[in-house]
Structure formats: C-alpha cells, structure tokens
Amino acid sequence: MAAIKVHGSPLSTNTLRVLAAVYEKELDHEFVLVDKSAGEHKKEHFLSTHNPFGQVPAFEDGDLKLFESRAITRYIACEYADKGTQLIYQDSKKMAITSVWMEVEGQQYEQIAAKLAWELVYKPLLLGMSADKAIVEENEPKLAKVLDIYESRLAQSKYLGGDCFTLADLHHLPTLHYLFGTQVKKLFDSRPHVSAWIADITARPAWLKALAALQSQQ
Amino acid sequence: MAAIKVHGNPLSTASMRVLATVYEKEIDHEFVFVDMRAGEQKKEHFLSLNPFGQLPALEDGDLKLFESRAINKYIACEYADKGTQLIYQDSKMMAITSVWMEVEAQQYDPAASKLGWELAIKPLLGMSTDTAVVEENEAKLAKVLDVYESRLAQSKHLGGDCFTLADLHHLPTLHYLFGTQVKKLFDSRPHVSVWVADITARPAWLKVLALQSQQ
C-alpha cells in the first residue's frame, strides 16, 4: 500500500490540482474516491480525519495528514524535490517571485475563474440550471483585466515564475481546463502570450495523466 | 538607506500584514508611504512595483515583490536567523503550518474582508452597509471559527505549538473586525478568544498599530 494517498472526487478542480503535482513528481500513490453525491465529505469521519471544512481533496503521507490543495502541492514540491519535475526553485529570490505568482493565482485569478466555472460549467452539469447572466457579465471583464496583466508578464517571462514551469503555472490548470469548454475561452485566445503559455502547460504529459486518472473515477 | 523598502499604507490590511512580519523579524527597513486617498497605487510608478495596483509592495535590493503573503514567506525564509521564527524548518511541521496559511487565505479572509469592508471601512467613507452581505458573511465566518475553535482546543497556535505566519496573517482583519459587531463571534468561542488575546498582544503587532495612530 502506498504511503501517499490522495482523497478526492471527479470534477473537483482542487483534486486535479493535487493530482497534477503528484504526476509531475512521479509519486507512487493511491487514489481514494470520496463520494460527494452521497455527502461523504460532510460526514463525521471525513471531517474529523481528513478535512474539517468538509472539502476535497485531502492527503496522507504516512502519518501526515494535510488538506488545502495549495498547501499539499507545496509540501509535495519540497518533500520530493529530488523526484520528477522541479516545481519550485531552491534559490530564495527566484522562489520569492514564484511565490508572488502563486498568490496571484490564489488571490486574483482563482476567485473570478471559479465563479465563471460554477455558472458556465457546474450549474448546467450538476444542477441542470442555466448560468446567471449578471454574474457572468460582472466577472468576465474582471478576468479580462487579470489576463491583461498575465499577458504583460508572459511577454517577459516564459512561465509565470520565470524560465521554468513551476507550481505558479500548475495551479491554473484545473480551472483553465473547465473554462476552455465555455465562452470564456475567447479571453485567453485573444491574448497571444497567454495563449502560447496555455498551449504549453496543458500539453504536459503529467497533466494529461492527471486528467485521465480522475476521469476514470467517474 | 535600508536595502528593504515596504511601500504601503498603515491603514491597509495587506500592508499591516507585511509590517507585522518586518517588525517580528526586527529587520531594518524604510517605510514608503503610498497615498491611497490620492490613488497613488493606481499610478504608473506604483504599477511598476505591483501591476495589480494594490498595496503593499516590497523591494529588497533589486528584488521586487507584491502580494503580502508571498512577501511574508520570502522574509520568513530569507531572514530565518533574525527575530522571531515565523516558519518551521522541519518539512512536516511546515506542511501543517502551510495548511493553516491556506485556510486563512481561502476560508477565513474572504468572509472577514467583506465584513471589514461593510462594517469598518464603508462607514468611514460615508457609505452605507449592505446588511444582506453582512448576514451572509457572518454566518460563513461563524462556521470557519467553529473549525478554528476545534483546532485551537488541540493546538496553542494554528500551525502547532509556536506562533507562525499562519497566526500572523489574521492580525490585520482581526483588528478591524474587533471594532464591529463581529467581535461577538470571536468572544463566544473560548479557545479562539484566548488565541486572539495572545497574538494581538505581541509587541511587534503593537508597533504596527502605533504606526497607524501616527497617521
């Protein structure tokens, strides 16, 4: 039995974020399916053992239990620095810049992208409801402004943190994947450096394996 | 001239988050005041430090950083040997601290910031509070604080035994919320209460507040 377990659910962007890192680092692991449709993530066992906020994913490495996808990926990147892809920099100043763009993803990009994904992907898919147009109209321009900054950044730098692919790029993959099936795709396509960056990071073999692994659980 | 410059405003929660770290680490620095009322953070000069036009920004020699939590992580690592230890060197202890740093950013701050805006800042600007937003976010914050209450029943600080960035990052919004009706959500949870009293009494934090009262 693998020391590493990822507890997650299909369609969960946060689960995908962790799986992407696990595959980049080529880590032996076991995937434990959390049945959200049965409310498993809100039951006492899951709350007390894995994540008191009742969300996926959760992570185990031997006795260590973690939650919050971005804390899990950071742990993986540091603990297994010598395996697979380098996902962080060892140099403190390069790491500081990568950290900045990791916070940008978590604080500036994700909240807007997640709202749009909810309206345009999850509501129709899971609830059979149509998107709230007002919310979409409010958030598309906000995302556009964020992407203008990404466009400038990626004109100077191949990846968000610098020359190399790091967690700063990886963390975007899950919501990007869902938004690309919607009208929001045009916001990315119309920005050439952003477009090239997306084409590059979404073609990574580890990402394709993570997607396939999670989809096979559905 | 100090190698480290903090560009910010003592009233900005994110600026306070960085100043708290700078004071905990006892680092020589220059504080460069950014006039929010004059919209200085949206002007070209500041945008070259932070393209999102938000406070704070940090310079350490040639290195330019923004996003308060990224700045703090850099300071905590780069100056690990100075002042208070704000992160753990042990990777598993650091992983747990990381979890609660993400909890602050992803679970606590969204509700806390909205409440701070509605109840503390808007009145100062002569704007009226949206009671629906307040009700919705008080309920969300209460649920988050229930989780904190359980955590702090097992652990003196959020990351473990020691005060770390996981605790520090809460200080600025706590400060604003304590001047509002939201204070009751903290007071009614004994372990949370004790934790708040402990971290808000830290000398480094009191220095940040002293800077505010000079404005």
Side-chain angles (χ1 to χ4, degrees), chain A residues 67-81:
Chain A
F67 57 94
E68 287 297 331
S69 64
R70 294 170 186 83
I72 296 167
T73 57
R74 261 186 201 260
Y75 166 73
I76 290 171
C78 293
E79 186 72 1
Y80 299 99

Side-chain angles (χ1 to χ4, degrees), chain A residues 55 68 74 79 92 108, chain B residues 54 67 73 78 91 107:
Chain A
Q55 294 171 340
E68 287 297 331
R74 261 186 201 260
E79 186 72 1
S92 73
Q108 310 283 357
Chain B
Q54 293 172 342
E67 288 296 331
K73 280 177 193 163
E78 185 71 0
S91 72
Q107 311 283 354

Side-chain angles (χ1 to χ4, degrees), chain B residues 42-171:
Chain B
K42 304 295 181 189
K43 296 198 173 136
E44 197 49 50
H45 166 73
F46 190 82
L47 292 175
S48 65
L49 293 169
N50 184 347
F52 290 90
Q54 293 172 342
L55 305 183
L58 180 114
E59 293 181 89
D60 187 354
D62 288 336
L63 182 65
K64 292 175 168 47
L65 304 175
F66 59 95
E67 288 296 331
S68 63
R69 295 171 186 84
I71 293 170
N72 284 353
K73 280 177 193 163
Y74 165 72
I75 295 172
C77 293
E78 185 71 0
Y79 300 96
D81 55 339
K82 298 197 75 171
T84 313
Q85 274 303 301
L86 290 176
I87 50 170
Y88 288 101
Q89 296 305 321
D90 175 82
S91 72
K92 293 185 194 245
M93 287 171 89
M94 187 58 215
I96 292 171
T97 298
S98 241
V99 165
W100 291 94
M101 286 168 72
E102 285 301 316
V103 167
E104 182 275 330
Q106 296 290 329
Q107 311 283 354
Y108 168 86
D109 190 68
S113 293
K114 285 193 181 90
L115 288 165
W117 171 249
E118 290 297 331
L119 295 167
I121 313 288
K122 271 170 109 173
L124 286 180
L125 300 174
M127 295 165 69
S128 55
T129 297
D130 183 335
T131 47
V133 172
V134 171
E135 270 182 46
E136 183 189 341
N137 285 282
E138 275 197 353
K140 286 183 180 175
L141 185 61
K143 283 190 176 164
V144 171
L145 292 179
D146 285 339
V147 176
Y148 279 41
E149 183 64 17
S150 299
R151 172 60 180 166
L152 293 164
Q154 309 163 5
S155 181
K156 185 173 185 205
H157 293 98
L158 287 173
D161 294 332
C162 302
F163 176 82
T164 61
L165 290 182
D167 310 289
L168 183 153
H169 282 176
H170 293 79
L171 286 164

Side-chain angles (χ1 to χ4, degrees), chain A residues 33 67 106 112 129 179 194-195:
Chain A
L33 184 65
F67 57 94
I112 305 168
M129 291 167 65
L179 289 180
V194 168
S195 249

Side-chain angles (χ1 to χ4, degrees), chain A:
Chain A
M1 191 187 290
I4 290 180
K5 295 184 193 177
V6 178
H7 299 254
S9 307
L11 302 176
S12 153
T13 51
N14 297 316
T15 302
L16 266 177
R17 190 171 291 116
V18 169
L19 286 174
V22 163
Y23 280 104
E24 286 286 351
K25 302 304 277 173
E26 297 164 23
L27 299 178
D28 285 337
H29 67 283
E30 185 188 332
F31 182 79
V32 181
L33 184 65
V34 178
D35 189 350
K36 284 176 77 174
S37 61
E40 192 185 333
H41 55 313
K42 302 294 180 190
K43 293 195 173 137
E44 194 48 47
H45 171 76
F46 188 85
L47 293 173
S48 56
T49 314
H50 297 299
N51 185 342
F53 290 93
Q55 294 171 340
V56 290
F59 179 87
E60 295 180 78
D61 188 354
D63 289 337
L64 182 67
K65 291 177 165 48
L66 305 175
F67 57 94
E68 287 297 331
S69 64
R70 294 170 186 83
I72 296 167
T73 57
R74 261 186 201 260
Y75 166 73
I76 290 171
C78 293
E79 186 72 1
Y80 299 99
D82 56 339
K83 298 198 74 171
T85 313
Q86 275 303 300
L87 291 176
I88 50 170
Y89 287 100
Q90 296 306 320
D91 175 82
S92 73
K93 294 186 193 244
K94 287 181 167 173
M95 188 56 214
I97 293 172
T98 298
S99 241
V100 164
W101 291 93
M102 286 168 71
E103 286 300 316
V104 167
E105 183 275 329
Q107 295 291 318
Q108 310 283 357
Y109 169 87
E110 172 67 9
Q111 290 167 23
I112 305 168
K115 280 196 183 101
L116 287 166
W118 174 252
E119 292 299 326
L120 296 166
V121 179
Y122 290 101
K123 264 170 93 170
L125 195 61
L126 299 175
L127 305 174
M129 291 167 65
S130 49
D132 181 325
K133 279 193 178 157
I135 295 180
V136 173
E137 269 167 32
E138 184 190 340
N139 284 281
E140 275 196 356
K142 285 182 181 175
L143 184 60
K145 280 190 179 163
V146 171
L147 292 178
D148 284 340
I149 294 171
Y150 278 42
E151 182 65 14
S152 299
R153 172 61 181 164
L154 293 163
Q156 309 163 7
S157 181
K158 186 173 184 201
Y159 295 99
L160 287 174
D163 294 330
C164 303
F165 176 82
T166 61
L167 291 182
D169 310 288
L170 182 151
H171 284 175
H172 291 79
L173 285 164
T175 19
L176 266 180
H177 173 71
Y178 285 102
L179 289 180
F180 257 55
T182 75
Q183 67 192 56
V184 171
K185 184 177 187 288
K186 65 184 186 297
L187 296 182
F188 299 92
D189 288 346
S190 57
R191 290 166 173 81
H193 294 96
V194 168
S195 249
W197 167 72
I198 290 174
D200 178 294
I201 67 176
T202 53
R204 293 180 69 84
W207 172 240
L208 299 172
K209 284 183 192 158
L211 271 178
L214 196 59
Q215 278 167 0
S216 71
Q217 296 288 338
Q218 282 176 231

